[in-house]
């Protein structure tokens, strides 16, 4: 076990255990290489800007203390820019900052941009970068870094690891690394200041991480409690046995060729605090779903079994018995599951708030009757590609008073009559009817009755004409309608 | 209808109906604190941080929107949408950058969430789609990065989009 190092001493470098050699001479100076990408936008700069009118200094007349309302009866709650402009007073009269770099304005303004837009704005000037690089603007975001982006090529031809300070400043809690090797991961751990304690989530995609690499990563990055492995074919179940740590609360494994029942055995034995498990594995069978222990029965609230083609209703029996506290369940693509399996879920998992039965071709309207009858707390139901669902199934759903999100993508038998059943569902906030070919324009127009709807997806609906979208923009103004 | 006079930083005194003037929460509180609504119309509400030109644009908006329901309490620390700006507000806000920023500051000072929201949305929509090369020119800012800093900030922001 590698030692963490004593404070003040240089820490021993992270060594991969399979004999690979690290890069020599790690300086952290900026490389001379710069990447230029052609920017395709060519918007004309907008209307001329007048020079801002000069703001005279605030008067010091007697009423001023009332005017500033500091801590007064009017709470300035919800103001992104902070209280009245008491700090507007300029210092020497001539030196006034252009308002476009006024930090109070920027602190409020930058909330109106997406993550990608913020990445562009950080490149404008130092003031914008300084305001933007506060952690609050990046909460919940995960940078995706490809292996090649982790290195600068120096003029001498050597490679050096990039400086990740700009990521540390923004306080990212998670990283996704794509196409990385054991060595790359070691370099990341050594070169990112917050790697040992500050990173809570790691995701590796299409990477060649081995059992030894997995062990080193989880040992060194003591803060990681959420782990995702996708498309990684070089680690085995033995690697899971040797590296999984009890601190992990969320695990996702998908498209990793060596994962089968023994992986679930390892997970069930080693992860008593597991709250969320996502598994996409073609070879996992029903028996493995009985491995979950009582600890997980208590702690696990989300289970996603994606395209687990071998799972049958027997596997569902095992799930409902070993994980009775589930609030979210996905059986998406578990093509052998039938209505009987859904009946078991409805009868036993009464706490469910989210159920995903997408891509289960054997599911019929009967399943929806079971769902509507027993799952009173259900808020989200996904039925994409459940091609046997008809208007009758929708009539069962209409009684569900908690349902907020309903996905019916490519439910090709749904017609206007079925839509009518949905119109009474006042709780609905999100509805997707993408790819439903039988819905007509007049049938869809009835959706204006759902005045509380916030998002409506009508992509690939032949009945969704431009006139319909115009109609919605007038009569469903608060709803985001996706074409 | 009783009226209230607000004295701007440069000494002018635009007049407004007291109900309209009470929209900015700042003014509402001042008016109620000093019990101006039942006094004669001669008291002045001092607004040292807002000049007359800006105040003259704020008042028509208060009038136009006086019957609007109060905006919902929103979660401050969340990404905000930039659509849903009414046509009337769009017309009002066809002004230059400088004035827009002044309006933002005024809206903040006067605690007018609705105005703050539409002015920020308007500025944001002018910014979206522009490159880091175009933006300094649009807003009269200097790109003060060194060459090295510029390369670094570009590199550490490539991870989003364009993949």
């Amino acid at each position: 076990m590698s030692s963490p190092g004593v404070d003040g001493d240089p820490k021993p470098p992270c060594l991969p255990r399979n004999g690979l050699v690290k890069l020599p001479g790690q300086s952290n100076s900026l490389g001379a290489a710069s990447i230029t990408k052609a920017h395709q936008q060519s918007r004309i700069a907008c209307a001329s800007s007048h020079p801002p009118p000069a703001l005279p200094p605030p008067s010091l007349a007697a009423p001023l203390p009332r005017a500033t309302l500091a801590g007064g009866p009017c709470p300035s709650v919800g103001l992104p820019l902070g209280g009245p402009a008491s700090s507007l007073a300029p210092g020497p009269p001539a030196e006034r900052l252009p308002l476009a770099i006024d930090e109070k304005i920027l602190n409020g303004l930058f909330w109106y941009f997406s993550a990608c837009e913020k990445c562009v704005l950080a490149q404008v000037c130092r003031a914008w970068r300084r305001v933007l690089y506060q952690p609050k603007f990046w909460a919940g975001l995960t940078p995706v870094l490809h292996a090649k982006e982790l290195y600068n090529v120096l003029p001498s031809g050597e490679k050096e690891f990039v400086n990740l300070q700009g990521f540390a400043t923004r306080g990212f809690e998670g990283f996704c690394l794509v196409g990385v090797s054991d060595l790359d991961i070691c370099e990341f751990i050594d070169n990112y200041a917050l790697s040992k304690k500050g990173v809570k989530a790691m995701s590796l995609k299409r990477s060649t991480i081995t059992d030894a690499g997995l062990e080193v990563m989880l040992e060194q990055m003591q803060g990681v409690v959420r782990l995702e492995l996708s498309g990684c074919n070089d680690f085995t179940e033995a690697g899971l046995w040797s590296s999984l740590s009890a601190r992990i609360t969320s695990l996702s494994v998908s498209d990793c060729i060596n994962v089968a029942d023994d992986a679930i055995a390892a997970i069930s034995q080693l992860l008593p605090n597991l709250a969320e498990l996502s598994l996409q594995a073609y070879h996992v069978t029903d028996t493995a779903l009985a491995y979950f222990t009582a600890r997980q029965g208590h702690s696990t609230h989300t289970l996603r079994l994606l395209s687990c083609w071998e799972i049958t209703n027997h596997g569902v029996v095992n799930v409902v018995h070993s994980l009775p506290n589930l609030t979210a369940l996905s059986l998406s693509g578990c093509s052998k599951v039938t209505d009987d399996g859904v009946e078991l879920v409805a009868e036993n998992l009464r706490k469910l708030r989210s159920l995903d039965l997408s891509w289960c071709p054997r599911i019929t309207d009967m399943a929806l009757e079971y769902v509507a009858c027993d799952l009173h707390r259900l808020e989200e139901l996904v039925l994409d590609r459940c091609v046997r669902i008809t208007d009758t199934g929708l009539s069962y759903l209409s009684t569900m008073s908690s349902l907020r999100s309903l996905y019916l993508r490519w439910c090709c038998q749904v017609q206007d009559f079925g839509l009518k059943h949905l119109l009474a569902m006042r709780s609905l906030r999100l509805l997707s009817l993408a790819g439903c070919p039988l819905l007509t324009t007049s049938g869809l127009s009835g959706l204006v009755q759902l005045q509380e709807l916030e998002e409506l997806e009508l992509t690939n609906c032949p009945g969704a004409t431009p006139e319909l979208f115009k109609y919605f923009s007038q009569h469903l103004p608060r709803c985001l309608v996706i074409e | 209808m009783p009226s209230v006079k607000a004295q701007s930083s440069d000494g002018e005194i635009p007049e407004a109906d007291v109900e309209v003037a009470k929209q900015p929460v700042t003014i509402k509180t001042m008016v109620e604190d000093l019990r101006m609504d039942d006094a004669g119309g001669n008291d002045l509400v001092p607004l040292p941080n807002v000049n007359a030109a800006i105040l003259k644009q704020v008042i028509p908006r208060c009038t136009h929107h006086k019957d609007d329901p109060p905006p919902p309490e929103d979660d401050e620390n969340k990404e905000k949408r930039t659509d849903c700006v009414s046509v009337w507000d769009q017309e009002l806000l066809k002004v230059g950058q400088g004035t827009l920023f002044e309006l933002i500051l005024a809206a903040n000072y006067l605690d007018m969430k609705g105005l703050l929201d539409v002015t920020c949305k308007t500025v944001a929509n002018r910014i979206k789609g522009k490159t880091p090369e175009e933006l300094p020119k649009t807003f009269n800012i200097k790109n003060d990065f060194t060459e090295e800093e510029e390369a670094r900030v570009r590199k550490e922001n490539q991870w989003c989009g364009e993949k």
Side-chain angles (χ1 to χ4, degrees):
Chain A
M1 159 164 148
S2 56
S3 68
V6 176
D7 276 4
D9 291 349
K11 298 184 173 44
C14 172
L15 287 174
R17 290 188 188 160
N18 46 14
L20 295 178
V21 174
K22 275 172 56 78
L23 293 176
Q26 295 297 298
S27 68
N28 262 337
S29 61
L30 293 169
S34 70
I35 314 287
T36 312
K37 279 197 178 152
H39 291 279
Q40 285 97 349
Q41 297 95 336
S42 55
R43 299 273 272 272
I44 300 166
C46 74
S48 64
S49 47
H50 326 306
L55 267 188
S59 93
L60 295 173
L64 181 57
R66 280 198 164 257
T68 53
L69 289 177
C74 159
S76 55
V77 174
L79 268 191
L81 302 190
S86 46
S87 57
L88 247 197
E95 287 295 296
R96 216 174 52 77
L97 289 181
L99 291 179
I101 57 172
D102 179 296
E103 297 211 353
K104 278 205 326 296
I105 292 182
L106 297 177
N107 265 296
L109 185 59
F110 287 148
W111 288 111
Y112 291 86
F113 296 92
S114 67
C116 295
E117 290 165 343
K118 285 186 268 211
C119 280
V120 170
L121 300 183
Q123 300 175 48
V124 167
C125 67
R126 283 180 182 164
W128 284 31
R129 181 185 59 180
R130 184 172 52 247
V131 174
L132 271 169
Y133 269 24
Q134 296 171 82
K136 67 185 182 189
F137 286 119
W138 306 94
L141 290 169
T142 301
V144 176
L145 302 175
H146 289 250
K148 289 193 206 60
E149 292 168 352
L150 296 175
Y151 300 94
N152 287 323
V153 179
L154 300 175
S156 59
E158 283 174 31
K159 286 198 306 180
E160 65 154 19
F161 205 83
V162 296
N163 182 323
L164 293 174
Q165 183 53 42
F167 291 93
T169 311
R170 286 177 280 187
F172 287 116
E173 285 196 340
F175 285 87
C176 175
L177 303 180
V178 182
V180 291
S181 64
D182 286 348
L183 194 51
D184 296 327
I185 295 170
C186 278
E187 295 283 355
F188 174 80
I189 292 172
D190 277 343
N191 286 287
Y192 184 56
L194 304 180
S195 63
K196 307 264 169 107
K197 299 248 172 65
V199 176
K200 295 202 177 136
M202 276 303 278
S203 166
L204 299 178
K205 295 194 175 172
R206 303 192 290 283
S207 296
T208 55
I209 189 171
T210 63
D211 291 345
L214 198 53
E215 218 180 300
V216 166
M217 184 176 85
L218 287 176
E219 222 173 76
Q220 292 281 304
M221 299 181 78
Q222 288 282 316
V224 169
V225 293
R226 299 195 296 274
L227 176 65
E228 178 183 7
L229 299 165
S230 173
C232 299
N233 295 322
D234 291 291
F235 77 92
T236 70
E237 289 162 329
L240 292 177
W241 279 107
S242 65
S243 61
L244 287 181
S245 152
R247 65 178 186 264
I248 289 178
T249 57
S250 167
L251 178 65
S252 169
V253 180
S254 67
D255 197 24
C256 298
I257 207 167
N258 297 317
V259 165
D261 287 355
D262 199 35
I264 312 253
I267 290 168
S268 62
Q269 288 298 302
L270 299 173
L271 303 182
N273 298 308
L274 191 65
E276 203 174 312
L277 175 63
S278 232
L279 198 63
Q280 186 270 310
Y282 302 125
H283 306 299
V284 164
T285 68
D286 291 336
T287 27
L289 297 178
Y291 292 165
F292 296 114
T293 65
R295 291 288 300 270
Q296 279 137 357
H298 182 70
S299 62
T300 308
H301 56 65
T302 297
L303 176 67
R304 294 187 199 97
L305 298 170
L306 309 170
S307 296
C308 294
W309 295 338
E310 301 292 324
I311 303 294
T312 70
N313 292 337
H314 292 297
V316 177
V317 170
N318 290 339
V319 165
V320 306
H321 286 136
S322 56
L323 300 175
N325 289 317
L326 287 180
T327 57
L329 173 65
S330 172
L331 296 169
S332 177
C334 294
S335 45
K336 292 187 174 160
V337 170
T338 71
D339 293 338
D340 288 343
V342 178
E343 188 181 11
L344 288 164
V345 167
E347 278 175 356
N348 291 287
L349 297 179
R350 298 300 182 101
K351 298 185 190 175
L352 268 190
R353 295 205 285 269
S354 167
L355 178 61
D356 185 342
L357 297 170
S358 56
W359 296 84
C360 290
R362 301 190 193 189
I363 300 296
T364 73
D365 294 333
M366 286 300 301
L368 299 190
E369 192 179 9
Y370 300 134
V371 164
C373 186
D374 286 331
L375 293 178
H376 300 135
R377 297 197 210 175
L378 202 67
E379 295 170 11
E380 177 180 75
L381 181 60
V382 186
L383 298 169
D384 297 339
R385 266 302 177 209
C386 289
V387 294
R388 295 171 70 174
I389 302 290
T390 72
D391 293 341
T392 311
L394 296 190
S395 71
Y396 298 136
L397 296 183
S398 63
T399 62
M400 297 182 72
S401 54
S402 302
L403 204 61
R404 289 177 60 94
S405 303
L406 178 61
Y407 297 84
L408 296 166
R409 297 186 183 110
W410 307 302
C411 289
C412 44
Q413 296 194 54
V414 167
Q415 302 185 49
D416 293 345
F417 185 65
L419 266 195
K420 286 214 171 71
H421 292 299
L422 301 182
L423 298 182
M425 295 176 75
R426 286 276 162 272
S427 54
L428 265 188
R429 297 287 174 270
L430 189 153
L431 176 62
S432 175
L433 297 164
C436 291
L438 299 177
L439 299 173
T440 68
T441 313
S442 68
L444 287 168
S445 63
L447 288 171
V448 296
Q449 288 185 46
L450 292 175
Q451 278 295 310
E452 283 87 37
L453 205 58
E454 291 169 6
E455 201 172 313
L456 175 62
E457 188 185 35
L458 296 174
T459 323
N460 287 327
C461 273
T465 59
E467 290 76 34
L468 184 70
F469 290 123
K470 213 185 240 175
Y471 181 63
F472 282 145
S473 67
Q474 281 166 354
H475 296 276
L476 270 184
R478 283 183 301 274
C479 182
L480 176 65
V481 180
I482 301 171
E483 305 178 29
Chain B
M1 162 95 44
S3 67
V4 160
K5 296 193 188 111
Q7 179 169 41
S8 68
S9 57
D10 35 3
E12 286 195 34
I13 308 180
E15 212 169 298
D17 274 347
V18 72
E19 286 313 309
V20 168
K22 274 192 209 191
Q23 260 190 39
V25 177
T26 309
I27 296 186
K28 178 172 193 280
T29 314
M30 278 192 238
V31 163
E32 285 168 1
D33 266 5
L34 303 174
R35 285 194 238 294
M36 283 180 178
D37 13 13
D38 40 48
N42 287 325
D43 292 310
L44 288 180
V45 176
L47 295 175
N49 288 346
V50 187
N51 70 33
I54 296 298
L55 204 50
K56 281 183 182 153
Q57 297 191 294
V58 169
I59 289 176
R61 190 185 189 272
C62 291
T63 312
H64 187 261
H65 287 272
K66 69 176 175 353
D67 295 320
D68 281 3
E73 277 303 316
D74 60 1
D75 182 5
E76 256 178 68
N77 292 348
K78 198 174 78 162
E79 185 184 322
K80 296 180 180 162
R81 286 162 65 166
T82 58
D83 51 359
C84 308
V85 178
S86 73
V87 175
W88 194 90
D89 279 332
Q90 285 179 40
E91 282 302 311
L92 175 76
L93 296 174
K94 278 185 177 164
V95 294
Q97 315 290 10
T99 312
L100 261 185
F101 283 123
E102 298 273 354
L103 281 169
I104 292 180
L105 285 177
N108 176 49
Y109 172 68
L110 295 169
D111 197 355
M112 298 174 67
K113 279 194 195 151
L115 181 62
L116 188 59
D117 189 44
V118 297
T119 45
C120 284
K121 282 178 177 174
T122 307
V123 175
N125 284 328
R126 292 189 187 184
I127 290 176
K128 288 186 194 226
K130 295 201 164 68
T131 65
E133 290 77 31
E134 292 166 343
L135 282 166
K137 295 185 205 113
T138 313
F139 289 92
N140 251 339
I141 329 172
K142 185 168 182 313
N143 176 339
D144 50 355
F145 286 128
T146 65
E147 220 179 278
E148 278 181 11
E149 279 179 324
E150 190 156 1
R152 170 142 60 118
V153 73
R154 193 174 350 180
K155 189 135 204 241
E156 64 195 17
N157 281 291
Q158 286 173 324
W159 55 271
C160 200
E162 290 194 38
K163 275 206 191 356

